[in-house]
Amino acid sequence: MNWTCEQTELRLSDHLDGLLTATEQHEFDAHVNTCARCTPLVSSVTHALASLHTLPQIEPSPRLVYNILDKTLGPRETVTGWAAVLAWFRGMNPQRIAYGGVSFCAMFLMIASFTSFNWKKPRVADLSPVNVYRGADRQAHLVYARSTKFVSDLRVVYEIQSRLQREDQLPSGQETTTPQNSPEKNPGRTDGSGPTSPKQQNRANDLVSHAVVLAAGCPALWELWEGRIR
Amino acid sequence: MRQHNRRVFNICYRFTGNRTEAEDLTQDVFLRIYKTLASYRAAHGGFATWMTSVTRNLLIDHYRRTKRDRATDSLDDAMTVVENKESTARRPDEQALLGELSGQVQSALTKLSPELREAVILRDLQQLEYAEIQRVLAVPEGTVKSRINRGRIELARILQQMGVRPS
């Protein structure tokens, strides 16, 4: 069967929609590939179809829905006063509001506690910027002093532990708590030998007194300390 | 309604090529549907098909109503086209900037006759099946196929005249 130009034009959409049978498709292709009239026709219609498919979906304006509702269901009632406020709250997301409220309260509590706000006897004067600044400044200094003391205490504990471990490693005959003279008389030695200068002796005494105080606060450490003394 | 208004609006927009007219027509479509909802029978097809049918009828009514206005406009358009052709002959770079493909395709679409235009829109833009188009247009399937085929060929011819050629 010879496929004609008229047939090609009539069945063009079937070809584009994939509705031709295998035989028809073969004959269609055979004709289009050899026909000077049909080749550009098929090409241009294929291009037009592809162009149509590239057309985007257009978004209607948001007011269109309200206009349709107004036209079909009638104009909406205008809500005023508390009803409007309640309607506004109803439209909001309660989870987000709760999360925001909790975050705000937590932040307020943190700031208030940092500025030494007295919760038992709250005063308006405590909220003035000068008092807030003074309170924050005082708190900052307190935090700094406490942290410095904490670091210092940690350092003392560490030094005591180091010294006790060093004494454990020494032979039993040399076990003593009495400071030994350094054979080389070098100040600031770290080889486990005792202090050689009055300054070092004072420091060692200071450490011992710190250790006693700390050990008194901690029973386990106290027992350990008693064992060392004996 | 929120589910369907975008589809109805797009059909109207592609048919008229005018956003304001499309929005007005979309409102009219929903008003008509609201009033005639009782006449809908599920046995005659899906709700979307029925809605498309109502849209199509209103578009055809609108087309007939505004035919006289368009006759005047078409003369102005023809003059504009001539002017554009002259200017584009001199300034091809401007034409490239001004004439985006989607705008040209939309312009070509509105130049099709209403019968061919609605068939092409329903088939190639709304991706309706032949049977659904047959129900919407209330014509035999052969006529639907013929209109779609002629619409595509005519569209390709208009696009070629506008200078939009396959690359």
Side-chain angles (χ1 to χ4, degrees):
Chain A
M1 173 187 164
N2 284 328
W3 199 275
T4 61
C5 293
E6 287 72 28
Q7 278 177 308
T8 304
E9 196 172 321
L10 280 173
R11 305 295 303 276
L12 186 51
S13 278
D14 288 341
H15 159 71
L16 294 168
D17 292 338
L19 298 175
L20 292 179
T21 62
T23 315
E24 287 172 333
Q25 187 64 52
H26 178 72
E27 287 174 354
F28 182 92
D29 291 338
H31 175 79
V32 169
N33 289 336
T34 53
C35 180
R37 179 175 166 256
C38 292
T39 304
L41 175 74
V42 173
S43 170
S44 64
V45 175
T46 307
H47 173 253
L49 199 59
S51 307
L52 267 178
H53 290 160
T54 62
L55 286 180
Q57 286 275 308
I58 308 294
E59 282 298 328
S61 66
R63 69 170 193 283
L64 179 64
V65 174
Y66 297 108
N67 289 346
I68 292 168
L69 288 173
D70 284 349
K71 269 198 167 186
T72 51
L73 304 175
R76 283 160 287 163
E77 288 180 17
T78 310
V79 185
T80 54
W82 284 108
V85 175
L86 283 173
W88 184 73
F89 273 113
R90 233 177 278 131
M92 297 179 83
N93 189 342
Q95 287 176 341
R96 282 186 187 173
I97 292 172
Y99 181 75
V102 169
S103 303
F104 178 77
C105 290
M107 194 179 69
F108 181 76
L109 284 172
M110 278 173 62
I111 292 172
S113 61
F114 192 71
T115 56
S116 65
F117 182 80
N118 192 344
W119 292 98
K120 291 180 180 173
K121 293 177 182 175
R123 292 178 306 167
V124 181
D126 289 344
L127 296 173
S128 73
V130 176
N131 288 338
V132 167
Y133 172 75
R134 281 181 185 159
D137 188 46
R138 189 167 55 246
Q139 284 290 333
H141 279 91
L142 273 172
V143 167
Y144 177 73
R146 281 175 188 160
S147 53
T148 308
K149 186 177 179 300
F150 180 72
V151 170
S152 174
D153 291 349
L154 277 180
R155 193 178 162 192
V156 169
V157 170
Y158 175 73
E159 284 192 16
I160 290 166
Q161 281 183 338
S162 306
R163 182 161 293 191
L164 292 174
Q165 281 173 358
R166 241 181 278 135
E167 283 174 4
D168 274 347
Q169 288 166 1
L170 283 174
S172 58
Q174 293 179 6
E175 188 179 342
T176 175
T177 54
T178 311
Q180 299 294 315
N181 290 334
S182 169
E184 294 176 6
K185 307 290 184 186
N186 288 335
R189 284 172 62 89
T190 57
D191 56 357
S193 59
T196 56
S197 64
K199 193 177 177 183
Q200 281 182 302
Q201 182 63 53
N202 290 342
R203 191 162 174 268
N205 292 340
D206 194 33
L207 284 173
V208 170
S209 66
H210 274 299
V212 169
V213 170
L214 281 167
C218 176
L221 200 58
W222 177 253
E223 285 171 15
L224 190 65
W225 179 257
E226 287 282 304
R228 294 292 156 210
I229 296 296
R230 278 188 217 115
Chain B
M1 187 200 63
R2 288 175 196 276
Q3 187 187 345
H4 293 289
N5 82 323
R6 190 167 176 241
R7 200 171 65 83
V8 171
F9 171 78
N10 270 275
I11 294 173
C12 294
Y13 178 76
R14 292 303 173 200
F15 193 88
T16 60
N18 184 300
R19 198 179 176 90
T20 313
E21 277 183 46
E23 288 198 349
D24 290 345
L25 282 162
T26 306
Q27 288 180 42
D28 292 344
V29 167
F30 278 94
L31 190 62
R32 173 81 64 91
I33 287 167
Y34 184 73
K35 284 178 178 171
T36 59
L37 198 58
S39 67
Y40 166 66
R41 296 284 178 275
H44 296 158
F47 184 74
T49 309
W50 180 67
M51 186 176 268
T52 310
S53 184
V54 173
T55 308
R56 182 255 173 187
N57 291 339
L58 271 170
L59 284 171
I60 294 297
D61 288 349
H62 174 262
Y63 177 82
R64 286 175 187 150
R65 229 178 19 247
T66 57
K67 203 171 182 178
R68 188 179 292 175
D69 300 338
R70 252 194 333 277
T72 318
D73 290 345
S74 64
L75 283 174
D76 297 338
D77 288 345
M79 292 301 289
T80 315
V81 167
V82 170
E83 285 169 9
N84 283 344
K85 273 190 177 175
E86 286 172 359
S87 64
T88 52
R90 276 181 258 118
R91 307 279 301 273
D93 54 334
E94 280 187 2
Q95 189 207 11
L97 286 171
L98 292 171
E100 289 187 357
L101 183 64
S102 57
Q104 288 170 319
V105 174
Q106 177 61 52
S107 177
L109 206 53
T110 50
K111 285 185 173 67
L112 286 177
S113 68
E115 291 85 14
L116 303 185
R117 199 187 317 168
E118 64 188 6
V120 170
I121 288 172
L122 294 178
R123 175 66 191 159
D124 294 325
L125 295 180
Q126 295 299 316
Q127 316 292 337
L128 262 61
E129 296 295 327
Y130 283 111
E132 289 175 308
I133 300 171
Q134 186 188 340
R135 275 198 292 271
V136 169
L137 302 183
V139 291
E141 189 174 341
T143 311
V144 171
K145 283 189 173 180
S146 166
R147 282 185 189 178
I148 291 168
N149 194 41
R150 282 191 291 132
R152 286 169 173 175
I153 293 170
E154 185 66 13
L155 187 74
R157 192 184 61 77
I158 294 169
L159 281 172
Q160 273 194 331
Q161 282 180 349
M162 292 169 74
V164 183
R165 291 174 198 285
S167 54

